[in-house]
Amino acid sequence: MIKTPKRNPSVVIIGAGMTGILLTIKLHEAGITDITILEKKEKIGGTWRENTYPGVACDVPAHLYSYSFEPNPEWSNRYASGDEIQAYFEKVSRKYNVLERVRFNEAVTDAEYSRGKWTVESSVGNTYEADFLISATGILHHPFKPDFDGQESFKGAMFHTAEWDHSVDLKGKRVGIIGTGSTATQIICELPKQADNLTVFQRTPQWIAPTPNREFSETIKQKCRDSRLRIEIAKKVYHTIFEQIFSKALVGNKLSHFILSTACKLNLRLGVKDKELRKKLTPDYKVGCKRLVMSGDFYSAIQRQNVDLITAGIECITESGVRTIDGKDHDLDVLVVATGFDPVAYMRPMTMKGKGGTSIDQTWQKKVRAYRSVLLPEQPNFFLMLGPNTPIGNFSVIEMSEVQVPYVLQLIERWRENEYDEVACTQEAMEGFNQRLKDAMGDTVWTSGCQSWYLDADGDPLSWPFTWKQWKQEMETPDMNDFMTARYPNKVKSKSKSKSTEEALVS
Ligand code: NAP
């Protein structure tokens, strides 16, 4: 019997960041050739293209923050800088011919689904048809900018960390920074080397996990070049530490939490001798409740002569700087807004209509949630990479995407085998999945009493309340009982010109 060739779906991916690149490589490896990535900017790289602030780096060890199939012996440090990571993604994209599939400067403005096809509109007026639409926009890419009273009156330069204005020379300047999250911490470690003075406006102190950086010598790099096993071992060690200590500590393992807490508390005790300053820097919530800040330098940076820590709340912004609620004016030339991101915007502001005309804003009106982070009941043949309840935290997002991509590929593979033209999770499956997570959240550290971007508007954490191991196991194979599928015998033929598609259509 002649085996029917597999169908070759057309796939549109939104975003050419870490996940979009990975998806393209893996779809192509699976034999799918009709792939278009729509990228709103002029370059690939996502987070690493956008964030160019002084000190930008990844606080996950570089060997862990690399694709499993592209280890990089050239990493210069244990924690790689933003520039180096951007260069890595550019190199990988070139090597795997990803760039030729990217349409740059084309943001997706609208997507509409009908009978097994997505019609996708872009900002330059192009229209694409696709069997599958995949959002790979990442989580934190919409800057959150609070509306401070009087901010329009400020005479100096003011910008968000993700929109760094490199035309502003910081030499000899008085710079202020609002926020003390992971981003601000990296800037605080770097900026005092450039600016005359740095004033840090802290609303809530952070726990800092001691993670000293280390330069990799030429000898180490050569050993890594000579032996991939060496990199694999380093990766395994880092992964085990993250899984056993960081990850387990957050989801209720008492021993892991004790170890992590002790490390953070000792770090503060040993790093800051001045009692008054230490008090200001001591959080009143559990370690890990907010996303843990990882830094080997923060405590020494905050104690530099030219750095001031202000803990009085911000009353308003004036034409000359920031006025705090104790009535003090802090004169500044530059004000950096390090207030984080909107974590639930995902691929929006694009509009999106799924089956029966249900818009994404309607679907998420009450709550932003998904089935297994990846699927939505009303949006068939659509996958949301790194969606709500992906086990974010301090893990490598590359590792997370490398778990989600094979899951998505399995669902696409069934389409290729002609099992269905349309696949979506059921409403019940999504409700059940989310209820199970909600029931387990009480055991996690995120609900122990702090404010953070992990929490949605109802105070429910957007993370995964079980172990990494369990997540991986549950993501191994899609449970088809949780899906609704449909066939469309008169479905519009794929526009793909590839041989396998044409054969499939003929058969
Ligand atoms: P963030 O963690 O959300 O921190 C925002 C900071 O701004 C907090 O200190 C917050 O104070 C403060 N803030 C917000 N609104 C304010 C207001 N109205 N007045 C005064 N202060 C205000 O944002 P982020 O530092 O950009 O980090 C976001 C996430 O990005 C991180 O958690 C991490 O997942 C990721 N990231 C990763 C890396 C990496 O190396 N892998 C580096 C940077 C960022 P409160 O604490 O009081 O809310």
Side-chain angles (χ1 to χ4, degrees), residues 241-343:
I241 295 169
F242 273 80
E243 184 173 0
Q244 299 303 322
I245 307 292
F246 289 99
S247 172
K248 285 192 173 170
L250 307 179
V251 297
N253 184 303
K254 290 197 167 61
L255 178 61
S256 300
H257 195 266
F258 173 76
I259 295 169
L260 191 61
S261 289
T262 307
C264 294
K265 287 173 185 171
L266 266 179
N267 189 30
L268 176 59
R269 182 73 187 78
L270 300 174
V272 184
K273 298 278 185 262
D274 180 277
K275 275 190 184 165
E276 204 49 44
L277 180 63
R278 194 162 66 229
K279 204 171 150 201
K280 288 181 177 177
L281 291 169
T282 305
D284 63 357
Y285 54 84
K286 277 189 172 179
V287 170
C289 184
K290 283 175 180 286
R291 198 264 193 188
L292 203 54
V293 174
M294 324 279 274
S295 178
D297 303 323
F298 176 72
Y299 289 137
S300 55
I302 201 81
Q303 292 175 84
R304 283 176 71 120
Q305 287 292 325
N306 62 343
V307 178
D308 299 311
L309 178 68
I310 306 298
T311 54
I314 295 171
E315 185 185 305
C316 63
I317 294 177
T318 64
E319 62 177 55
S320 58
V322 170
R323 182 170 301 149
T324 42
I325 51 172
D326 53 8
K328 283 192 184 147
D329 280 312
H330 307 269
D331 290 345
L332 303 166
D333 304 305
V334 179
L335 183 55
V336 176
V337 182
T339 47
F341 299 86
D342 171 1

Side-chain angles (χ1 to χ4, degrees), residues 48 53 57-60 140 144 146 148 161 178-184 186 201 203-204 206 290-291 314 338-341 393 451 453:
W48 306 105
Y53 56 79
C58 183
D59 63 11
V60 173
L140 302 171
F144 166 64
F148 293 104
T161 53
I178 301 175
T180 48
S182 300
T183 304
Q186 292 182 338
F201 297 93
R203 186 165 69 177
T204 315
Q206 295 269 0
K290 283 175 180 286
R291 198 264 193 188
I314 295 171
T339 47
F341 299 86
Q451 186 49 251
W453 68 264

Side-chain angles (χ1 to χ4, degrees), residues 63 73-80 84 212-221 238:
H63 285 305
E74 308 306 326
W75 291 124
S76 63
N77 285 273
R78 179 183 287 148
Y79 299 102
E84 209 177 351
N213 205 354
R214 172 193 175 192
E215 201 175 325
F216 291 139
S217 64
E218 190 47 39
T219 316
I220 290 181
K221 287 188 206 165
Y238 291 135

Side-chain angles (χ1 to χ4, degrees), residues 464-503:
W464 172 253
F466 308 111
T467 60
W468 169 267
K469 194 173 162 197
Q470 185 174 338
W471 184 66
K472 263 192 89 173
Q473 278 166 356
E474 290 191 22
M475 289 296 289
E476 243 158 47
T477 319
D479 179 352
M480 294 316 290
N481 294 317
D482 287 346
F483 295 96
M484 265 170 61
T485 62
R487 302 228 42 153
Y488 295 107
N490 302 324
K491 186 166 165 277
V492 185
K493 289 179 182 181
S494 169
K495 282 186 173 169
S496 169
K497 297 277 185 300
S498 85
K499 188 166 174 281
S500 57
T501 309
E502 279 159 12
E503 282 168 0

